Amino acid sequence: MSTHAANPSAAQRPAPSESHAGAMFAVASLLLGILVAVVGFFALLTWLDARHARDAADRAAARAATPPAAAMSSTGALTSYAGAAPANADALASSHKPFAAELPAAPAGPVAHVNLVLKDVTVQIAPGVKYTAWAWAGGAPGPVIHVRQGQLVKITLTNRGAIPHSVDFHAARVAPNVAFGDVMPGKSVSYTFRANDPGVFMYHCGTKPVLMHIANGMYGAIVVEPNPGVLPKADKNYVLVASEWYLDSNGLSKPAQFDMDKAHARTPDWMTFNGYAGQYVKHPLTAKPGELVRFWVVDAGPSIDTDFHIVGTVLNTAYPFGDMDPGRALHNVQTATVPAGGGAVFDVQIDKAGLYPFVSHAFAAVDEGQVGLLKVGHVEGTMSH
Ligand SMILES: [Cu+2]
């Protein structure tokens, strides 16, 4: 042990000797040497680690490039039938009777009786495009149901299809294992719930595989009208149910059926409001200038959100996610997302006469049919977006 270090007074010397400076230099050099060695060691570790990571990445990439035979699905080679149309598509679009978007009246009295009858039917989802659907009351979406907040809703589901089905109401707070169970072909089942939550909600078949049952047309909307005085009175009320269709053929010569690979890849052939591509382009919804128009929108999916937008105006009031508390509403927004399995309500007031397209502004959806027109005032002609 150095006497300098052992003697506290040594560190206080005003002028250290030559030998002391030399010792300090030697110690500093040693420390520097150790530091270089340590830094070098960690650099080596880092390099090894990076090389290991790169090797792992290379191995993963190689695995991805050569998947085992069982995992080799047709993803990436799916055939799209988007836009398939017969020569007389325009005439068919004109003669098509559009799904009634007008909100029906809510039943009077304390109980709302809802009868849903399920059938296997062939529906049209675009001009000349047929699809083998599982649907309620003859089409997809199922009937628009309108009840008042606080009403008791009595659901009766009758299965006239070939396989078991069920019905799940998003407006209900009930034990799903009790209420939403499967109904065998030829049978009926009933359950009740109190519609305490206002808004617009999806209902759908919840039988496995749910993706297939929804995609095949087993969905609809229920509007639970908020208590009187909560919302400003609307002059027009329209209900739109957005959905996707996944086809195994173009559906022109024979009805198309569900394609699970496309549904998993979320690459629909058609996307619609109320089940039929572009039906409100040929048959616009209407309003007078200055009227308050309320859209009750559900996105049935099964998998893709709807980004609701009206071209040429701004949504005066949006009730996102169907939360009908006016204190939480949004004002003057351009586009609002309605999630798959969710709902939202939009109020618009348009002063200038014209044709105003309503779309999902995720624009692939427009190309695939999720577009309609709101015709304000007396306007000639039509347009699509
Ligand atoms: Cu079903």
Side-chain angles (χ1 to χ4, degrees):
M1 188 177 282
S2 139
T3 51
H4 291 157
N7 182 358
S9 66
Q12 297 162 5
R13 280 185 197 169
S17 69
E18 290 272 318
S19 64
H20 177 66
M24 286 288 281
F25 179 76
V27 168
S29 299
L30 182 64
L31 285 175
L32 189 64
I34 290 170
L35 184 67
V36 167
V38 167
V39 167
F41 178 66
F42 278 106
L44 179 69
L45 281 183
T46 305
W47 178 78
L48 284 172
D49 200 37
R51 199 180 71 164
H52 176 75
R54 198 169 57 242
D55 288 349
D58 287 348
R59 282 195 301 276
R63 272 201 307 276
T66 54
M72 288 179 80
S73 74
S74 57
T75 303
L78 299 171
T79 304
S80 173
Y81 302 110
N88 62 340
D90 197 57
L92 290 172
S94 296
S95 62
H96 167 71
K97 185 172 180 292
F99 184 95
E102 294 79 10
L103 179 66
V111 182
H113 294 274
V114 174
N115 291 303
L116 292 171
V117 179
L118 174 280
K119 289 178 189 166
D120 302 333
V121 292
T122 297
V123 297
Q124 300 255 342
I125 60 168
V129 178
K130 296 175 282 294
Y131 185 88
T132 304
W134 300 336
W136 282 299
V144 173
I145 300 164
H146 186 190
V147 303
R148 286 175 288 105
Q149 187 178 357
Q151 264 184 324
L152 189 70
V153 184
K154 183 172 185 193
I155 304 294
T156 302
L157 174 64
T158 301
N159 186 352
R160 298 225 174 98
I163 61 168
H165 294 286
S166 57
V167 65
D168 168 341
F169 271 83
H170 289 191
R173 295 181 191 251
V174 289
N177 58 311
V178 175
F180 303 160
D182 284 353
V183 185
M184 294 301 125
K187 302 284 187 216
S188 290
V189 72
S190 289
Y191 65 89
T192 60
F193 67 90
R194 180 81 57 190
N196 283 329
D197 298 279
V200 61
F201 299 86
M202 181 182 180
Y203 68 85
H204 65 92
C205 178
T207 301
K208 289 180 182 173
V210 181
L211 174 62
M212 182 177 185
H213 285 250
I214 294 175
N216 267 346
M218 302 197 68
Y219 51 78
I222 177 171
V223 169
V224 181
E225 181 88 30
N227 288 327
V230 172
L231 300 184
K233 187 184 178 322
D235 299 298
K236 293 278 164 55
N237 284 278
Y238 293 122
V239 180
L240 299 175
V241 180
S243 65
E244 307 115 48
W245 299 91
Y246 302 92
L247 277 58
D248 71 342
S249 71
N250 64 17
L252 296 177
S253 55
K254 64 175 175 39
Q257 295 191 333
F258 175 69
D259 186 314
M260 184 62 97
D261 286 340
K262 286 186 185 175
H264 279 156
R266 304 186 196 186
T267 53
D269 297 283
W270 295 96
M271 296 182 73
T272 56
F273 285 125
N274 292 344
Y276 187 98
Q279 61 187 320
Y280 305 114
V281 175
K282 279 285 181 197
H283 309 277
L285 306 181
T286 61
K288 297 191 183 83
E291 279 190 329
L292 179 61
V293 183
R294 181 163 294 146
F295 288 93
W296 305 81
V297 182
V298 156
D299 185 6
S303 298
I304 300 177
D305 299 348
T306 287
D307 298 319
F308 194 74
H309 173 84
I310 302 181
V311 180
T313 193
V314 172
L315 302 169
N316 293 74
T317 307
Y319 300 89
F321 310 115
D323 177 351
M324 302 312 294
D325 185 332
R328 288 193 290 268
L330 304 175
H331 298 285
N332 309 321
V333 294
Q334 58 194 299
T335 301
T337 296
V338 186
V345 181
F346 305 109
D347 286 0
V348 284
Q349 212 157 1
I350 299 175
D351 295 330
K352 296 185 178 70
L355 295 168
Y356 294 80
F358 54 88
V359 300
S360 171
H361 212 289
F363 250 82
V366 175
D367 281 9
E368 291 167 0
Q370 210 165 75
V371 53
L373 286 176
L374 177 63
K375 180 174 166 177
V376 178
H378 296 289
V379 191
E380 289 306 312
T382 183
M383 72 167 284
S384 60
H385 198 70

